[in-house]
Amino acid sequence: MKFIYGLCAVAISFGLSACASAPANQGDAPAQSAAVVVPGQDPAATAFEIKIIDADRQVRVVAKPTLAALDFAAYFANPIRLAGKDEKPENYTGKMAGAKIADYPFPMLDSVSGSVPAIAQTAAPVAWEPLSKILYAQTGNDSLSQVLNAVEAVKWDEPDVFRAFQTVSRLWGVPMSDGSVEWWAEVTPAPWTGRSAFYGKLKFVSHGETAEVLNYYLTAEMNADDAMNWARTLSSYWYPTLNTDLEQHTPGDFWPAGSMNQPFAVMRGNPMGKAMWVAFEVPAFRLTEEQIRAKAVADSLAAAGEVVPVNRVLDTDSSFRLQTLASLEGSCPVNAETEKFKTALAQTLAKLPKEQNAWATSGASSAETFLWFRRNANYLLADKITGQDSLHNPLPRLLELKNYLDSIGVQLLVVPVPVKEEIYAERLVAGTPADLCVNPAGREFTREMLAAGLDVLDIYPSLMAAKAGDEPPRFSYQRYDTHWALPGMLAAMEQLASRVTQYAWYADAGAKPGSLNMQETTTLREGDLVAHLPDAEKSKYPADTLPVMKILKGAEPYKGGKNAPILLMGDSFTGVFESVDQKSGGPGSLLAFATGLDVQVLTSWGGGPGVYHRMMKMKKDMQSKRLVIYMMTARDFWQSPMEWDALK
């Protein structure tokens, strides 16, 4: 069956869930458990169990690791996703607060009722957002998503309120004898509406392969590796919205230390300036104490014996840095054109509801519609980057990192990745010349890094040149996402590979050009900006099929090891196409293919400013390194939600 292949690799989507209440303990006291049960539901049909550690930490236990069960455990009543959603919007008036169920404005639902439907007694609930993306990937039909988005987009005659009035918190699929699938939904109003959950059958019915896909989604179990890939993908897709990342944790070990919880993955989120953790546990993935001890011993032996130290000599030639510095002088002046662009962009942002973090602009055709990210736009409006306070100014921290790496004989190369909004400024603000440099503050910061002695690879010119080869709907950056697409990534990696081969130590680093193979393929990616749009607009932007390259070592997907002479570290730009979506096709694999040198990748999905702390825990691995490439989105140079704190 064609839908079975790659089902667990389908991109995780976004959305909102209902809020569940549960008692909280303080500190590391024994966790309390709370089964996810609603009035009228058979406890035997409960999808997962919640163990509350304290107000900020919980573990969700899934009995069988099906994709449906894990998705539901992640989406339903997840406090990371619900943070800030209980506050009443300032412009909410409660115009229809007293409406009876019979008068509810939901024409897409039939049989609207306040009673739990009988189907909830026997069928497992699912989270609609990830399921609808899988159905679209396998059947090419996005109708279910459109209907459910329409449910969540109802504004109760208050269209100016941006925040969702309600979410579809649970969905049940009912296969019929003719092969079709009927759908029942639980709709949970936001707490500030004062309404209770209600239920209804969708007037929409699915046909074709839907029943088969749904059955596989509900029943096929994943192994431990599949589950970790699921957690990694989920964290990567939620990162722009919720500042999520996976904690460094041995799958199946105890967490927190001293507790009886043994999750396979621990997700950290910080959507509102306060960190919180939701861990996922599967009984089959738990390790015995003997296995934990054996793994600790094995890891210790691997750490001690696997890494082969190399004799390193820093390349102190400053000619490349000085040439780059000279090329930046006067290259992006503040003038009437840049001020006109910034004024227009600021006006666009001012018109958006303050909670709306993405918006669309149309092109000459539907294939040229782009989505844009508010944080990226704010970066283009930045003042002097080095004028920020000590927790947000990146320059002292980057210099501190360089001094540390210099002391152990390791080269540092900083690679800021320009935001899509500065590469495609002419599509962002109508009337902007396609070759206009619209980010004087960002370009000045690159100049300041170079002047301070940092080796910086300036890929902005390469990305500006790459867009000349655009063939809609294919561009250098993804239309509905913050990340680059294959053409932009290839342009950057070609320049990066050229720089690596110019280092004086390259000839002695054991390069083996031609040892890897490249394979053309595709991947389906849900744009990470879709979740930031108004609910009524989300269904306009389905997942995109993107061309990618997959790097192979023999017949196996490439992955750099601990003895790699290069460490590529940074944010999601190092991980996209590398450890999620089409794996072994991201910057690390492409760089290894181009240079013939092994490349180890260290990704912090929570943001680039935090990854160097992870590097500091890799002291043994660093003995094999000649070069650390620090690649991250340039937007985190300005008012990053993850602070630039001192090296530890």
Side-chain angles (χ1 to χ4, degrees):
M1 293 177 287
K2 70 176 184 179
F3 63 85
I4 293 179
Y5 178 75
L7 178 58
C8 294
V10 173
I12 304 298
S13 182
F14 303 87
L16 300 175
S17 295
C19 184
S21 61
N25 289 342
Q26 299 299 316
D28 287 338
Q32 296 185 11
S33 296
V36 178
V37 184
V38 295
Q41 185 183 11
D42 181 359
T46 298
F48 65 93
E49 175 188 11
I50 299 178
K51 294 181 179 179
I52 304 296
I53 308 301
D54 56 34
D56 300 318
R57 296 179 295 176
Q58 61 176 250
V59 179
R60 299 187 162 207
V61 184
V62 175
K64 292 184 179 181
T66 65
L67 185 54
L70 288 173
D71 279 344
F72 188 71
Y75 280 77
F76 186 83
N78 188 326
I80 294 175
R81 304 179 74 240
L82 292 171
K85 303 299 182 184
D86 57 348
E87 299 176 4
K88 184 172 71 173
E90 294 178 1
N91 57 341
Y92 170 68
T93 65
K95 188 174 181 179
M96 293 185 65
K100 298 179 181 179
I101 288 181
D103 300 326
Y104 281 11
F106 291 90
M108 66 292 292
L109 297 177
D110 195 6
S111 306
V112 176
S113 169
S115 301
V116 181
I119 188 62
Q121 307 291 336
T122 55
V126 297
W128 77 265
E129 299 98 319
L131 171 62
S132 66
K133 299 307 180 290
I134 289 172
L135 289 173
Y136 176 73
Q138 302 302 329
T139 69
N141 191 315
D142 200 35
S143 299
L144 179 63
S145 176
Q146 293 176 23
V147 172
L148 295 173
N149 267 320
V151 172
E152 295 194 341
V154 171
K155 296 295 184 183
W156 298 83
D157 205 18
E158 296 192 55
D160 293 332
V161 177
F162 176 77
R163 197 177 304 166
F165 278 66
Q166 61 281 316
T167 60
V168 177
S169 46
R170 291 190 294 167
L171 184 71
W172 296 273
V174 185
M176 309 304 289
S177 58
D178 62 356
S180 63
V181 177
E182 292 185 347
W183 302 99
W184 286 80
E186 174 188 67
V187 183
T188 302
W192 41 268
T193 65
R195 301 186 184 93
S196 300
F198 57 94
Y199 305 84
K201 185 174 72 172
L202 271 60
K203 293 180 180 177
F204 168 77
V205 176
S206 294
H207 299 279
E209 297 176 86
T210 299
E212 212 171 0
V213 175
L214 177 62
N215 178 66
Y216 189 80
Y217 181 64
L218 288 165
T219 60
E221 295 187 30
M222 290 188 278
N223 60 32
D225 288 340
D226 291 335
M228 274 307 303
N229 285 334
W230 166 86
R232 193 176 295 113
T233 302
L234 185 73
S235 179
S236 72
Y237 270 82
W238 285 358
Y239 158 63
T241 313
L242 305 171
N243 290 322
T244 50
D245 201 358
L246 293 185
E247 295 282 65
Q248 292 181 308
H249 169 75
T250 300
D253 199 352
F254 295 99
W255 179 88
S259 75
M260 296 303 293
N261 306 301
Q262 296 181 260
F264 68 87
V266 180
M267 179 185 289
R268 178 186 186 273
N270 189 0
M272 301 292 291
K274 180 183 179 183
M276 56 186 74
W277 293 261
V278 173
F280 301 97
E281 182 173 352
V282 171
F285 301 159
R286 294 169 182 160
L287 300 180
T288 65
E289 292 188 3
E290 182 178 349
Q291 288 173 322
I292 294 171
R293 286 193 295 269
K295 189 169 192 331
V297 170
D299 289 345
S300 177
L301 291 173
E306 183 179 344
V307 177
V308 178
V310 296
N311 294 321
R312 297 176 292 222
V313 178
L314 286 174
D315 185 342
T316 58
D317 184 358
S318 60
S319 58
F320 180 87
R321 179 176 63 83
L322 294 176
Q323 289 170 10
T324 308
L325 180 61
S327 71
L328 283 164
E329 296 293 342
S331 65
C332 192
V334 176
N335 54 32
E337 288 283 4
T338 60
E339 291 303 302
K340 179 182 177 182
F341 169 83
K342 292 177 71 172
T343 298
L345 180 57
Q347 291 173 346
T348 296
L349 294 179
K351 293 176 183 177
L352 293 177
K354 66 179 183 179
E355 295 180 274
Q356 183 175 339
N357 289 314
W359 74 100
T361 59
S362 300
S365 66
S366 60
E368 296 182 67
T369 295
F370 272 57
L371 300 184
W372 312 102
F373 192 28
R374 185 191 283 265
R375 276 191 57 206
N376 286 355
N378 286 337
Y379 164 63
L380 299 189
L381 301 176
D383 295 325
K384 189 173 180 62
I385 290 175
T386 53
Q388 299 176 94
D389 62 67
S390 60
L391 291 176
H392 292 91
N393 180 6
L395 187 56
R397 301 286 78 85
L398 292 172
L399 290 172
E400 185 180 31
L401 176 62
K402 179 186 184 303
N403 290 336
Y404 167 73
L405 291 175
D406 282 352
S407 72
I408 61 173
V410 178
Q411 211 89 35
L412 173 64
L413 178 62
V414 180
V415 185
V417 181
V419 297
K420 177 171 68 175
E421 287 73 2
E422 67 181 304
I423 301 300
Y424 287 100
E426 73 277 10
R427 295 182 179 274
L428 175 64
V429 174
T432 302
D435 61 350
L436 180 67
C437 181
V438 298
N439 189 16
R443 303 297 289 152
E444 170 61 16
F445 180 63
T446 299
R447 191 199 67 78
E448 287 185 278
M449 285 191 288
L450 288 159
L454 289 166
D455 197 3
V456 181
L457 187 73
D458 181 18
I459 61 175
Y460 170 80
S462 293
L463 290 169
M464 288 291 285
K467 69 179 181 180
D470 288 346
E471 297 180 356
R474 301 290 167 243
F475 299 88
S476 290
Y477 280 69
Q478 297 174 51
R479 293 177 298 163
Y480 310 150
D481 197 278
T482 55
H483 298 95
W484 48 26
L486 184 62
M489 185 166 55
L490 287 177
M493 291 307 101
E494 181 179 1
Q495 185 179 348
L496 178 57
S498 175
R499 176 67 187 109
V500 169
T501 59
Q502 291 172 15
Y503 282 113
W505 45 259
Y506 174 76
D508 299 323
K512 298 179 180 177
S515 60
L516 302 176
N517 303 311
M518 179 180 285
Q519 181 183 83
E520 295 183 9
T521 182
T522 61
T523 190
L524 188 73
R525 182 169 173 85
E526 165 80 6
D528 62 14
L529 290 174
V530 177
H532 297 272
L533 295 170
D535 295 309
E537 297 181 20
K538 293 177 181 177
S539 60
K540 298 178 183 178
Y541 308 100
D544 214 352
T545 300
L546 303 171
V548 291
M549 298 294 185
K550 190 178 186 70
I551 306 302
L552 304 172
K553 187 173 184 178
E556 297 298 320
Y558 171 77
K559 182 177 181 181
K562 290 186 175 183
N563 274 309
I566 298 175
L567 174 66
L568 172 65
M569 69 177 193
D571 62 7
S572 56
F573 274 87
T574 68
V576 67
F577 308 124
E578 190 70 58
S579 58
V580 299
D581 302 315
Q582 174 55 66
K583 300 179 180 66
S584 302
S589 296
L590 292 174
L591 182 62
F593 175 83
T595 63
L597 292 177
D598 207 15
V599 179
Q600 186 177 3
V601 179
L602 179 63
T603 299
S604 170
W605 294 105
V611 74
Y612 54 89
H613 297 299
R614 293 191 175 190
M615 184 209 73
M616 293 298 292
K617 298 177 181 179
M618 299 170 53
K619 294 187 183 297
K620 184 68 70 172
D621 289 20
M622 295 305 292
Q623 294 181 79
S624 67
K625 302 297 180 281
R626 296 177 183 269
L627 172 67
V628 169
I629 301 171
Y630 198 167
M631 177 186 290
M632 57 172 286
T633 176
R635 73 166 175 261
D636 274 343
F637 291 151
W638 178 251
Q639 298 179 349
S640 169
M642 177 176 282
E643 296 171 341
W644 289 86
D645 51 3
L647 201 63
K648 298 175 183 177

